[in-house]
Amino acid sequence: MSSTPTQQLSDAGVSIWLDDLSRTRLDTGTLQKLIDEKNVVGVTTNPSIFHAAITAGTDYDATIAAQAAAGASVEETIFEITTTDVADACDLFAPIAAATNGVDGRVSIEVDPRLAWDTAGTIAEAKHLYAKVNKDNVHIKIPATLEGLEAITATLAEGISVNVTLIFSLERYRAVINAFQSGLEQAKENGHDLSRIHSVASFFVSRVDSEIDKRLDAIGTDEAKALKGKAGVANARLAYQVYEELFSTERWAVLAEAGALPQRPLWASTGVKDPAYPDTLYVTELVAAGVVNTMPEKTLDATFDHGVVTGDTITGTYDEANETLNALEALGVSYNDVVTLLETEGLEKFVGSWKELLADVEGALATARKAS
């Protein structure tokens, strides 16, 4: 075929989003180039991405100096920087959003991760972010903690589109879909146009393999080693089975009749952590219609360069995926233990990145105040 692997992915029904954003990407045109050449139709961000962007160079020095002169706090300064970048990215993707009726062309911004266990705080922050960015194609990103589920429902009920993040377990994914459908039911009661409310559920992939492979190495048998690198894909494939199941119910049919669009599965953490695995593993093995794959640029480049797209690689694989997870349990690798740990570690990582960002920007503000 003459088309590129990323075009083939797009043709197979996979939306490619970039898992990165920075002022440099916006100002130099490199993000536009990825849209034009590599089929990128959206962007996701997280606290780690913003920390890397803001501390990488001098792009934000003028904004920080202006915020310092205005007497802004560190939280106000970060809020200004991140929402400005996201709003500008929303403008860049606006033509794609218009062409897809808002399904793609989305840009995600996450609530302060320190609020992950605070339902009311998350709802308030989601509204604040949405009002500040003030773009139809923004997604407010909310972690799928138990406390986050109620916040997801309440935010959607306000007519605000949501990216639910940090999902690792099939049980939690079911709860996320329930929270989504509850939110739409309330939004309908509140008089919102359901066709304008969009959502994705970010199901994390590579971190599942990283943790389970570590445990398989500790077991050390040939049987254990044969299961390495299989859990992440199996778990995600079973998530797609849950998606198919819960979006074919009578409850969903009522919402769809009212104009609602399904909450799409989004494959997150798709960069391969183990160099022994193909660098496109979590892309080519997770192809199905109606999914999003958000990739770091390294994974996007690898996919564009040598990804082999063979069509749908998910439907019809559910028995095999179940066998993989059952085999892991039989070896003593506890699925529930792994997914609980990964949620905790994921949140700790984002909180850690946010605290580092606060400290770095506080230092930059102090320097700017002295200079003035």
Side-chain angles (χ1 to χ4, degrees):
M1 291 178 69
S2 58
S3 67
T4 64
T6 54
Q7 182 61 55
Q8 292 163 27
L9 263 185
S10 182
D11 291 343
V14 178
S15 293
I16 299 171
W17 293 1
L18 180 71
D19 193 30
D20 196 38
L21 183 65
S22 65
R23 177 50 47 186
T24 297
R25 285 196 184 279
L26 290 162
D27 288 349
T28 61
T30 56
L31 184 53
Q32 181 65 58
K33 192 174 181 184
L34 293 179
I35 294 170
D36 296 338
E37 298 179 2
K38 296 184 180 176
N39 304 88
V40 169
V41 292
V43 158
T44 52
T45 67
N46 62 44
S48 299
I49 285 170
F50 279 130
H51 178 244
I54 293 170
T55 59
T58 59
D59 286 349
Y60 299 95
D61 287 3
T63 302
I64 289 172
Q67 291 293 108
S73 69
V74 62
E75 283 90 355
E76 289 167 339
T77 301
I78 292 171
F79 189 81
E80 182 65 29
I81 289 171
T82 57
T83 54
T84 298
D85 278 6
V86 167
D88 288 349
C90 283
D91 287 341
L92 186 67
F93 281 97
I96 294 172
T100 61
N101 292 319
V103 172
D104 282 316
R106 317 292 307 188
V107 184
S108 295
I109 184 168
E110 189 160 340
V111 297
D112 183 333
R114 296 172 298 175
L115 297 170
W117 305 274
D118 177 354
T119 301
T122 295
I123 296 167
E125 177 82 350
K127 290 179 182 178
H128 191 200
L129 285 167
Y130 180 72
K132 173 65 174 176
V133 175
N134 195 28
K135 305 289 179 181
D136 287 342
N137 54 328
V138 69
H139 263 149
I140 306 302
K141 209 170 180 185
I142 299 174
T145 55
L146 290 173
E147 295 84 355
L149 294 172
E150 188 180 335
I152 291 158
T153 295
T155 302
L156 289 161
E158 296 288 332
I160 298 172
S161 296
V162 172
N163 175 343
V164 183
T165 189
L166 283 172
I167 308 169
F168 295 96
S169 81
L170 298 168
E171 179 186 14
R172 186 62 56 81
Y173 181 40
R174 285 179 177 275
V176 165
I177 294 174
N178 178 62
F180 166 72
Q181 295 189 7
S182 295
L184 289 191
E185 286 160 352
Q186 292 180 25
K188 184 182 174 186
E189 290 175 12
N190 292 339
H192 292 288
D193 179 354
L194 298 191
S195 70
R196 296 176 61 83
I197 303 173
H198 297 267
S199 186
V200 292
S202 298
F203 202 88
F204 280 54
V205 187
S206 67
R207 295 187 198 182
V208 173
D209 275 337
S210 296
E211 180 59 32
I212 287 180
D213 283 0
K214 190 165 62 178
R215 298 180 186 213
L216 291 171
D217 281 335
I219 294 168
T221 63
D222 289 344
E223 188 183 6
K225 289 175 183 174
L227 287 168
K228 287 184 65 178
K230 293 186 176 179
V233 166
N235 196 38
R237 286 172 170 172
L238 291 173
Y240 193 80
Q241 183 183 32
V242 170
Y243 163 74
E244 289 183 312
E245 174 196 337
L246 295 185
F247 285 98
S248 59
T249 62
E250 190 174 326
R251 179 189 186 189
W252 175 247
V254 171
L255 286 164
E257 181 69 23
L261 298 169
Q263 180 186 56
R264 291 190 292 169
L266 178 150
W267 310 132
S269 183
T270 57
V272 172
K273 306 287 195 291
D274 187 334
Y277 301 149
D279 52 5
T280 61
L281 174 66
Y282 304 122
V283 178
T284 59
E285 295 305 306
L286 293 173
V287 176
V291 304
V292 181
N293 194 308
T294 184
M295 310 178 198
E297 189 170 21
K298 185 177 177 182
T299 303
L300 175 65
D301 289 345
T303 300
F304 181 83
D305 179 65
H306 54 261
V308 178
V309 181
T310 58
D312 189 333
T313 51
I314 295 180
T315 54
T317 65
Y318 307 139
D319 288 346
E320 181 187 350
N322 268 312
E323 287 170 10
T324 296
L325 296 191
N326 289 338
L328 289 165
E329 289 285 348
L331 286 175
V333 178
S334 168
Y335 178 85
N336 288 335
D337 183 51
V338 167
V339 295
T340 300
L341 175 68
L342 289 173
E343 178 182 302
T344 301
E345 287 183 346
L347 286 165
E348 285 175 350
K349 179 184 177 186
F350 282 167
V351 170
S353 293
W354 198 254
K355 287 180 177 177
E356 288 175 20
L357 177 58
L358 287 166
D360 289 340
V361 173
E362 182 65 76
L365 283 169
T367 300
R369 289 185 193 110
K370 287 176 187 174
S372 63

PDB file of all heavy atoms in Angstrom, residues 212-231:
ATOM      1  N   ILE A 212       3.739  -6.430  35.845  1.00  0.00           N
ATOM      2  CA  ILE A 212       3.544  -7.885  35.803  1.00  0.00           C
ATOM      3  C   ILE A 212       4.808  -8.600  35.349  1.00  0.00           C
ATOM      4  O   ILE A 212       5.168  -9.654  35.898  1.00  0.00           O
ATOM      5  CB  ILE A 212       2.325  -8.230  34.915  1.00  0.00           C
ATOM      6  CG1 ILE A 212       1.042  -7.844  35.674  1.00  0.00           C
ATOM      7  CG2 ILE A 212       2.312  -9.711  34.534  1.00  0.00           C
ATOM      8  CD1 ILE A 212      -0.246  -8.122  34.944  1.00  0.00           C
ATOM      9  N   ASP A 213       5.533  -8.033  34.392  1.00  0.00           N
ATOM     10  CA  ASP A 213       6.793  -8.652  33.943  1.00  0.00           C
ATOM     11  C   ASP A 213       7.793  -8.761  35.089  1.00  0.00           C
ATOM     12  O   ASP A 213       8.531  -9.750  35.199  1.00  0.00           O
ATOM     13  CB  ASP A 213       7.403  -7.838  32.802  1.00  0.00           C
ATOM     14  CG  ASP A 213       6.703  -8.066  31.469  1.00  0.00           C
ATOM     15  OD1 ASP A 213       5.745  -8.855  31.431  1.00  0.00           O
ATOM     16  OD2 ASP A 213       7.126  -7.450  30.462  1.00  0.00           O
ATOM     17  N   LYS A 214       7.812  -7.731  35.937  1.00  0.00           N
ATOM     18  CA  LYS A 214       8.711  -7.744  37.105  1.00  0.00           C
ATOM     19  C   LYS A 214       8.384  -8.937  38.001  1.00  0.00           C
ATOM     20  O   LYS A 214       9.276  -9.633  38.503  1.00  0.00           O
ATOM     21  CB  LYS A 214       8.540  -6.418  37.854  1.00  0.00           C
ATOM     22  CG  LYS A 214       9.540  -6.149  38.952  1.00  0.00           C
ATOM     23  CD  LYS A 214       9.500  -4.678  39.376  1.00  0.00           C
ATOM     24  CE  LYS A 214       8.147  -4.283  39.931  1.00  0.00           C
ATOM     25  NZ  LYS A 214       8.117  -2.870  40.382  1.00  0.00           N
ATOM     26  N   ARG A 215       7.098  -9.183  38.175  1.00  0.00           N
ATOM     27  CA  ARG A 215       6.668 -10.303  39.020  1.00  0.00           C
ATOM     28  C   ARG A 215       6.934 -11.643  38.346  1.00  0.00           C
ATOM     29  O   ARG A 215       7.280 -12.625  39.015  1.00  0.00           O
ATOM     30  CB  ARG A 215       5.181 -10.138  39.360  1.00  0.00           C
ATOM     31  CG  ARG A 215       4.924  -8.860  40.158  1.00  0.00           C
ATOM     32  CD  ARG A 215       3.455  -8.675  40.518  1.00  0.00           C
ATOM     33  NE  ARG A 215       3.265  -7.359  41.159  1.00  0.00           N
ATOM     34  CZ  ARG A 215       2.366  -7.115  42.097  1.00  0.00           C
ATOM     35  NH1 ARG A 215       1.549  -8.060  42.512  1.00  0.00           N
ATOM     36  NH2 ARG A 215       2.265  -5.901  42.631  1.00  0.00           N
ATOM     37  N   LEU A 216       6.791 -11.689  37.028  1.00  0.00           N
ATOM     38  CA  LEU A 216       7.080 -12.924  36.297  1.00  0.00           C
ATOM     39  C   LEU A 216       8.576 -13.251  36.339  1.00  0.00           C
ATOM     40  O   LEU A 216       8.962 -14.412  36.459  1.00  0.00           O
ATOM     41  CB  LEU A 216       6.600 -12.795  34.848  1.00  0.00           C
ATOM     42  CG  LEU A 216       5.078 -12.743  34.664  1.00  0.00           C
ATOM     43  CD1 LEU A 216       4.734 -12.391  33.222  1.00  0.00           C
ATOM     44  CD2 LEU A 216       4.435 -14.075  35.062  1.00  0.00           C
ATOM     45  N   ASP A 217       9.398 -12.214  36.257  1.00  0.00           N
ATOM     46  CA  ASP A 217      10.857 -12.421  36.375  1.00  0.00           C
ATOM     47  C   ASP A 217      11.210 -12.992  37.744  1.00  0.00           C
ATOM     48  O   ASP A 217      12.100 -13.841  37.874  1.00  0.00           O
ATOM     49  CB  ASP A 217      11.602 -11.109  36.151  1.00  0.00           C
ATOM     50  CG  ASP A 217      11.733 -10.755  34.677  1.00  0.00           C
ATOM     51  OD1 ASP A 217      11.704 -11.674  33.839  1.00  0.00           O
ATOM     52  OD2 ASP A 217      11.859  -9.547  34.377  1.00  0.00           O
ATOM     53  N   ALA A 218      10.509 -12.512  38.766  1.00  0.00           N
ATOM     54  CA  ALA A 218      10.777 -13.003  40.127  1.00  0.00           C
ATOM     55  C   ALA A 218      10.392 -14.482  40.263  1.00  0.00           C
ATOM     56  O   ALA A 218      11.052 -15.240  40.981  1.00  0.00           O
ATOM     57  CB  ALA A 218      10.016 -12.159  41.146  1.00  0.00           C
ATOM     58  N   ILE A 219       9.326 -14.886  39.556  1.00  0.00           N
ATOM     59  CA  ILE A 219       8.932 -16.306  39.574  1.00  0.00           C
ATOM     60  C   ILE A 219       9.974 -17.132  38.834  1.00  0.00           C
ATOM     61  O   ILE A 219      10.387 -18.198  39.304  1.00  0.00           O
ATOM     62  CB  ILE A 219       7.527 -16.469  38.949  1.00  0.00           C
ATOM     63  CG1 ILE A 219       6.488 -15.781  39.844  1.00  0.00           C
ATOM     64  CG2 ILE A 219       7.184 -17.953  38.779  1.00  0.00           C
ATOM     65  CD1 ILE A 219       5.122 -15.628  39.188  1.00  0.00           C
ATOM     66  N   GLY A 220      10.373 -16.629  37.667  1.00  0.00           N
ATOM     67  CA  GLY A 220      11.536 -17.175  36.986  1.00  0.00           C
ATOM     68  C   GLY A 220      11.377 -18.460  36.191  1.00  0.00           C
ATOM     69  O   GLY A 220      12.339 -18.911  35.566  1.00  0.00           O
ATOM     70  N   THR A 221      10.219 -19.073  36.179  1.00  0.00           N
ATOM     71  CA  THR A 221      10.042 -20.326  35.439  1.00  0.00           C
ATOM     72  C   THR A 221       9.837 -20.042  33.952  1.00  0.00           C
ATOM     73  O   THR A 221       9.525 -18.918  33.559  1.00  0.00           O
ATOM     74  CB  THR A 221       8.814 -21.095  35.962  1.00  0.00           C
ATOM     75  OG1 THR A 221       7.642 -20.299  35.722  1.00  0.00           O
ATOM     76  CG2 THR A 221       8.932 -21.386  37.449  1.00  0.00           C
ATOM     77  N   ASP A 222      10.006 -21.071  33.133  1.00  0.00           N
ATOM     78  CA  ASP A 222       9.770 -20.921  31.700  1.00  0.00           C
ATOM     79  C   ASP A 222       8.321 -20.520  31.438  1.00  0.00           C
ATOM     80  O   ASP A 222       8.038 -19.710  30.546  1.00  0.00           O
ATOM     81  CB  ASP A 222      10.077 -22.237  30.964  1.00  0.00           C
ATOM     82  CG  ASP A 222      11.569 -22.533  30.927  1.00  0.00           C
ATOM     83  OD1 ASP A 222      12.363 -21.602  31.183  1.00  0.00           O
ATOM     84  OD2 ASP A 222      11.933 -23.686  30.654  1.00  0.00           O
ATOM     85  N   GLU A 223       7.409 -21.079  32.222  1.00  0.00           N
ATOM     86  CA  GLU A 223       5.988 -20.767  32.085  1.00  0.00           C
ATOM     87  C   GLU A 223       5.735 -19.290  32.358  1.00  0.00           C
ATOM     88  O   GLU A 223       4.966 -18.629  31.660  1.00  0.00           O
ATOM     89  CB  GLU A 223       5.180 -21.633  33.056  1.00  0.00           C
ATOM     90  CG  GLU A 223       3.674 -21.534  32.860  1.00  0.00           C
ATOM     91  CD  GLU A 223       2.894 -22.355  33.877  1.00  0.00           C
ATOM     92  OE1 GLU A 223       3.520 -22.911  34.820  1.00  0.00           O
ATOM     93  OE2 GLU A 223       1.666 -22.422  33.749  1.00  0.00           O
ATOM     94  N   ALA A 224       6.413 -18.770  33.380  1.00  0.00           N
ATOM     95  CA  ALA A 224       6.266 -17.354  33.724  1.00  0.00           C
ATOM     96  C   ALA A 224       6.853 -16.462  32.625  1.00  0.00           C
ATOM     97  O   ALA A 224       6.229 -15.484  32.199  1.00  0.00           O
ATOM     98  CB  ALA A 224       6.939 -17.068  35.060  1.00  0.00           C
ATOM     99  N   LYS A 225       8.040 -16.823  32.156  1.00  0.00           N
ATOM    100  CA  LYS A 225       8.709 -15.999  31.134  1.00  0.00           C
ATOM    101  C   LYS A 225       7.902 -15.961  29.840  1.00  0.00           C
ATOM    102  O   LYS A 225       7.913 -14.964  29.112  1.00  0.00           O
ATOM    103  CB  LYS A 225      10.113 -16.529  30.877  1.00  0.00           C
ATOM    104  CG  LYS A 225      11.066 -16.259  32.047  1.00  0.00           C
ATOM    105  CD  LYS A 225      12.425 -16.905  31.825  1.00  0.00           C
ATOM    106  CE  LYS A 225      13.337 -16.680  33.037  1.00  0.00           C
ATOM    107  NZ  LYS A 225      14.612 -17.423  32.922  1.00  0.00           N
ATOM    108  N   ALA A 226       7.182 -17.043  29.554  1.00  0.00           N
ATOM    109  CA  ALA A 226       6.381 -17.112  28.320  1.00  0.00           C
ATOM    110  C   ALA A 226       5.212 -16.136  28.345  1.00  0.00           C
ATOM    111  O   ALA A 226       4.661 -15.798  27.291  1.00  0.00           O
ATOM    112  CB  ALA A 226       5.870 -18.532  28.114  1.00  0.00           C
ATOM    113  N   LEU A 227       4.841 -15.664  29.527  1.00  0.00           N
ATOM    114  CA  LEU A 227       3.711 -14.735  29.656  1.00  0.00           C
ATOM    115  C   LEU A 227       4.139 -13.264  29.653  1.00  0.00           C
ATOM    116  O   LEU A 227       3.292 -12.372  29.668  1.00  0.00           O
ATOM    117  CB  LEU A 227       2.931 -15.029  30.945  1.00  0.00           C
ATOM    118  CG  LEU A 227       2.076 -16.299  30.929  1.00  0.00           C
ATOM    119  CD1 LEU A 227       1.595 -16.639  32.341  1.00  0.00           C
ATOM    120  CD2 LEU A 227       0.891 -16.128  29.986  1.00  0.00           C
ATOM    121  N   LYS A 228       5.443 -13.021  29.617  1.00  0.00           N
ATOM    122  CA  LYS A 228       5.921 -11.636  29.642  1.00  0.00           C
ATOM    123  C   LYS A 228       5.453 -10.869  28.406  1.00  0.00           C
ATOM    124  O   LYS A 228       5.402 -11.399  27.304  1.00  0.00           O
ATOM    125  CB  LYS A 228       7.450 -11.601  29.730  1.00  0.00           C
ATOM    126  CG  LYS A 228       7.994 -11.980  31.100  1.00  0.00           C
ATOM    127  CD  LYS A 228       9.511 -11.845  31.171  1.00  0.00           C
ATOM    128  CE  LYS A 228       9.958 -10.406  31.021  1.00  0.00           C
ATOM    129  NZ  LYS A 228      11.434 -10.261  31.144  1.00  0.00           N
ATOM    130  N   GLY A 229       5.062  -9.627  28.628  1.00  0.00           N
ATOM    131  CA  GLY A 229       4.675  -8.763  27.527  1.00  0.00           C
ATOM    132  C   GLY A 229       3.308  -9.038  26.949  1.00  0.00           C
ATOM    133  O   GLY A 229       2.974  -8.526  25.876  1.00  0.00           O
ATOM    134  N   LYS A 230       2.511  -9.844  27.649  1.00  0.00           N
ATOM    135  CA  LYS A 230       1.194 -10.204  27.109  1.00  0.00           C
ATOM    136  C   LYS A 230       0.023  -9.605  27.882  1.00  0.00           C
ATOM    137  O   LYS A 230      -1.081  -9.485  27.355  1.00  0.00           O
ATOM    138  CB  LYS A 230       1.043 -11.730  27.082  1.00  0.00           C
ATOM    139  CG  LYS A 230       1.991 -12.405  26.090  1.00  0.00           C
ATOM    140  CD  LYS A 230       1.720 -13.895  25.989  1.00  0.00           C
ATOM    141  CE  LYS A 230       2.601 -14.529  24.914  1.00  0.00           C
ATOM    142  NZ  LYS A 230       2.380 -15.989  24.809  1.00  0.00           N
ATOM    143  N   ALA A 231       0.263  -9.223  29.132  1.00  0.00           N
ATOM    144  CA  ALA A 231      -0.841  -8.787  29.993  1.00  0.00           C
ATOM    145  C   ALA A 231      -1.427  -7.446  29.572  1.00  0.00           C
ATOM    146  O   ALA A 231      -2.651  -7.253  29.606  1.00  0.00           O
ATOM    147  CB  ALA A 231      -0.370  -8.710  31.440  1.00  0.00           C
TER     148      ALA A 231
END
